[in-house]
Amino acid sequence: MQTIYEKMGGTYRQVGDYLLPDIEAPESPQIGIWGQRRLQYLRIHKRVLYTTMLMSDALKAHLEEVDKFAEEMFHQLTMQMKAQEGVTEELKANNQMEWAQRMNNIRNRVSKIVYKELIHT
């Protein structure tokens, strides 16, 4: 007697005394921290948009796109602010504490810009 799974074309493999179905989990989205933050924002604050995108299978592509743009924006703004404020490798070699403070300040400001422009829109 065949199971419903076998009637639908599924197969099993023997592992010890057990028959396990030959199935694979779907590929998880390849999103980074910015995409995850966007996902969290959509789930909490934009439930209708989140549900619509989830049901139309557009959520993964949207999160990957936001993650890519946010990462590029973060990198570019960080480099620009470093140049404008004179944060150089020479400063890093001479005064590591000041360099770390200034870089943390730049990263925090850039993060706020990325949140405002891409994540929380």
Side-chain angles (χ1 to χ4, degrees):
M1 182 175 169
Q2 283 189 327
T3 65
I4 295 174
Y5 180 68
E6 290 173 317
K7 289 178 184 177
M8 293 175 53
T11 59
Y12 293 95
R13 68 179 185 281
Q14 183 87 30
V15 177
D17 293 336
Y18 302 99
L19 288 174
L20 299 177
D22 290 326
I23 57 174
E24 293 182 17
E27 186 178 314
S28 62
Q30 299 298 319
I31 58 171
I33 190 71
W34 297 110
Q36 292 172 10
R37 290 173 180 169
R38 175 69 175 166
L39 175 62
Q40 182 180 9
Y41 175 76
L42 290 174
R43 276 188 193 152
I44 295 170
H45 300 286
K46 304 283 186 176
R47 291 182 185 170
V48 173
L49 178 61
Y50 168 75
T51 304
T52 303
M53 293 176 82
L54 185 63
M55 299 302 272
S56 67
D57 203 29
L59 184 62
K60 178 182 173 185
H62 172 73
L63 295 176
E64 288 174 347
E65 183 179 359
V66 167
D67 186 64
K68 178 184 168 191
F69 287 135
E71 190 64 38
E72 289 173 4
M73 183 183 214
F74 183 85
H75 180 71
Q76 286 178 347
L77 288 173
T78 302
M79 291 298 129
Q80 289 173 359
M81 286 186 177
K82 274 176 56 176
Q84 287 175 352
E85 297 178 17
V87 180
T88 63
E89 292 299 315
E90 185 179 324
L91 176 63
K92 183 178 181 181
N94 294 336
N95 192 343
Q96 292 178 356
M97 289 299 290
E98 182 182 350
W99 180 86
Q101 290 171 347
R102 291 172 72 179
M103 282 303 298
N104 285 338
N105 185 302
I106 289 170
R107 286 189 192 112
N108 287 336
R109 287 183 287 151
V110 169
S111 291
K112 288 180 182 181
I113 292 169
V114 172
Y115 272 115
K116 184 179 178 187
E117 297 295 323
L118 293 176
I119 306 301
H120 296 163
T121 58

